């Protein structure tokens, strides 16, 4: 598959000016400005292929938005190189933005006081979108995103979910082949989230648009993305498939057993036992330490079992674990 984004060794260091205290400090600062430096992203390599839908996750402050801004040409990297759609996003910004879309959930890109439809017409002029393409996209997005009822209203009157849909449509009117979503589902209810996921899926699967999707909701990722990148404190710690993460990190497994009578369960090496109640226990273990077959065998041989379930590690749990404990 064709490579859409190739980022090599990108770093971003923010320079933050230190606030001096008092009048003297303030004057001194004018002559000898003091700075601290924040290493927001540190040596990240990324390759994104055409048609990929990539979830991009990490704890608050991990460097997701910074990365998205670099990849979309808003910021330049302090070090490293980015090639996207065969150009340098930052240096050939004008040419680049005509081919990409970017949605920032935290900040609307639409004019606050203009009716949505007017903003759309403005974008048509800015991007020089041919009338037939514009009308076709507008009709399609209005329908799929169900915008008919509020398209004449200005952004300031819209609910968050309506505003997000308008923002998404706005960023796609020029049919970009690559779209960045930075938390497009933030603050939305379950139904609104589902609508946005469906639209992103449609863009990716039906229109072949390459997607990079940042979110704190793992359901967003599981329902729209095939690939997953995790960053932690500015460093990439996972790059693979969404399902692959279970094998990569999620070695913790759980066996839940209902006994037919009360048992005193003896210790089992490498297995943590949780007592839910007198007859229900949970056995937590790692597949690499304890083969599940021998554990089940051991339990059946020594106790009276009524029922038993094995739970698969859940992506949400795995990710929470990584954020809390690191890799
Ligand atoms: N303009 C800036 N000036 C200085 N530091 C910044 C700036 N923008 C971001 N940072 C810092 O860089 C780090 C990464 O921030 P970034 O916004 O990329 O994180 P994020 O992964 O998007 O987090 P969140 O999930 O909270 O949106 C943070 O420590 C943040 O404080
Ligand atoms: Mg962010």
């Amino acid at each position: 598959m064709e490579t859409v984004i190739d980022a090599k060794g990108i770093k971003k260091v923010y320079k933050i000016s230190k606030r001096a205290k008092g009048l003297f400090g303030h004057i001194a600062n004018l002559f000898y400005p003091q700075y601290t430096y924040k290493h927001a992203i540190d040596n990240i390599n990324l390759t994104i292929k055409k048609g990929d839908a990539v979830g991009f996750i990490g704890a608050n402050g991990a460097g997701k938005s910074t990365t998205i801004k670099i990849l979309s040409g808003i910021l330049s990297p302090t070090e490293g190189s980015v090639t996207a759609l065969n150009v340098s996003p930052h240096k050939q910004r004008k040419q680049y933005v005509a081919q990409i879309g970017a949605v920032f959930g935290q900040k609307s890109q639409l004019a606050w006081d203009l009716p949505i439809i007017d903003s759309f017409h403005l974008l048509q002029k800015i991007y020089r979108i041919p009338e037939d393409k514009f009308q076709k996209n507008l009709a399609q997005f209005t329908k799929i995103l169900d915008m008919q009822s509020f398209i004449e209203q200005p952004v300031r009157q819209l609910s968050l979910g309506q505003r997000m849909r308008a923002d998404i449509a706005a960023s796609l009117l020029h049919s970009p082949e690559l779209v960045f979503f930075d938390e497009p589902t933030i603050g939305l209810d379950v139904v609104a989230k589902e609508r946005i996921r469906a639209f992103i899926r449609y863009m990716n699967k039906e229109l072949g648009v390459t997607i990079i999707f940042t979110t704190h909701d793992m359901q967003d990722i599981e329902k729209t993305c095939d690939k997953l990148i995790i960053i932690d404190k500015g460093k990439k710690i996972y790059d693979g498939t969404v399902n692959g993460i279970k094998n990569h990190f999620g070695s913790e497994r759980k066996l839940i057993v209902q006994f037919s009578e009360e048992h005193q369960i003896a210790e089992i090496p490498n297995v943590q036992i949780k007592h839910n109640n007198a007859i229900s226990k949970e056995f937590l273990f790692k597949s690499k330490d304890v083969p599940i077959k021998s554990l089940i065998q051991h339990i059946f041989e020594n106790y009276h079992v009524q029922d038993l379930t094995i739970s698969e590690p859940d992506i949400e749990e795995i990710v929470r674990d990584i954020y809390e404990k690191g890799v």
Side-chain angles (χ1 to χ4, degrees):
M1 265 299 192
E2 192 187 325
T3 298
V4 175
I5 299 178
D6 189 22
K8 287 201 180 78
I10 51 169
K11 294 188 183 181
K12 182 71 194 179
V13 182
Y14 289 110
K15 191 174 175 182
I16 307 162
S17 63
K18 262 192 192 166
R19 291 225 164 202
K21 287 201 185 82
L23 181 64
F24 179 75
H26 189 72
I27 292 167
N29 216 7
L30 291 175
F31 294 97
Y32 308 103
Q34 303 256 313
Y35 298 103
T36 54
Y37 297 88
K38 170 77 204 173
H39 294 255
I41 59 171
D42 188 13
N43 209 4
I44 287 187
N45 298 309
L46 295 172
T47 309
I48 312 281
K49 302 273 182 203
K50 191 172 172 57
D52 275 354
V54 183
F56 189 51
I57 65 169
N60 287 131
K64 302 179 296 297
S65 295
T66 302
T67 308
I68 298 274
K69 284 175 188 161
I70 291 172
L71 298 181
S72 59
I74 297 169
L75 289 177
S76 61
T78 311
E79 265 180 57
S81 69
V82 184
T83 308
L85 303 175
N86 302 315
V87 301
S88 156
H90 185 65
K91 290 180 194 142
Q92 288 148 283
R93 183 156 164 73
K94 219 172 150 188
Q95 188 185 341
Y96 184 60
V97 293
Q99 302 173 73
I100 67 157
V103 178
F104 292 91
Q106 310 256 24
K107 193 164 158 266
S108 178
Q109 296 167 93
L110 296 165
W112 192 242
D113 283 311
L114 282 189
I116 302 292
I117 187 71
D118 292 5
S119 281
F120 288 176
H121 278 115
L122 214 63
L123 288 164
Q124 184 190 5
K125 295 221 165 54
I126 293 170
Y127 286 109
R128 300 169 200 265
I129 307 168
E131 183 64 18
D132 54 342
K133 181 160 135 186
F134 177 78
Q135 290 302 340
K136 186 170 156 255
N137 281 345
L138 181 63
Q140 203 167 24
F141 299 163
T142 306
K143 182 161 167 251
I144 307 178
L145 290 168
D146 196 12
M147 299 192 297
Q148 197 53 55
S149 62
F150 58 85
I151 203 157
E152 303 286 342
Q153 284 169 245
V155 173
R156 63 179 158 77
Q157 289 177 1
L158 301 185
S159 77
L160 183 60
Q162 291 169 335
R163 195 275 278 168
M164 212 70 93
R165 279 181 269 159
D167 252 299
I168 291 174
S171 66
L172 296 170
L173 285 171
H174 58 299
S175 305
E177 55 180 294
L178 167 64
V179 181
F180 299 94
F181 290 99
D182 191 355
E183 300 197 50
T185 56
I186 192 169
L188 303 189
D189 70 44
V190 190
V191 178
K193 278 186 179 184
E194 202 48 60
R195 196 198 301 269
I196 285 177
R197 289 168 187 157
F199 188 68
I200 293 176
R201 247 191 333 261
Y202 160 80
M203 283 171 51
N204 176 246
K205 299 277 180 284
E206 306 298 320
L207 310 179
V209 177
T210 307
I211 303 286
I212 299 183
F213 188 165
T214 290
T215 177
H216 287 291
D217 184 337
M218 282 310 296
Q219 295 262 341
D220 285 347
I221 304 283
E222 286 184 84
K223 290 184 174 172
T224 53
C225 300
D226 311 309
K227 297 191 176 169
L228 181 66
I229 293 174
I230 308 180
I231 60 168
D232 183 40
K233 299 184 190 75
K235 288 192 159 66
K236 188 170 82 173
I237 58 169
Y238 179 78
D239 189 341
T241 60
V242 174
N243 284 320
I245 193 179
K246 291 181 182 169
N247 306 329
H248 198 270
F249 296 107
S251 45
E252 184 106 314
R253 304 192 74 178
K254 195 194 295 180
L255 178 71
I256 306 162
V257 184
Q258 300 287 337
F259 295 98
S260 43
E261 58 191 74
E262 275 189 45
H263 282 296
Q264 202 60 25
I265 312 287
E267 265 186 47
I268 308 169
N270 291 319
V271 179
Q272 191 198 335
I273 303 170
K274 247 174 77 181
H275 303 271
N276 292 335
N277 57 50
I279 58 157
S280 165
K281 318 280 176 200
E282 290 182 13
F283 300 81
L284 302 160
F285 58 99
K286 292 206 162 93
S287 334
K288 70 171 170 54
D289 302 334
V290 184
I292 184 126
K293 194 175 152 198
S294 61
L295 177 63
I296 293 176
Q297 213 162 14
H298 169 85
I299 292 171
F300 268 97
E301 278 168 8
N302 294 284
Y303 310 100
H304 296 279
V305 175
Q306 170 110 43
D307 193 10
L308 159 161
T309 41
I310 302 163
S311 80
E312 269 294 309
D314 153 85
I315 289 189
E316 176 114 22
E317 248 170 71
I318 297 168
V319 168
R320 195 184 325 128
D321 233 42
I322 298 170
Y323 287 4
E324 277 171 9
K325 299 178 204 147
V327 244

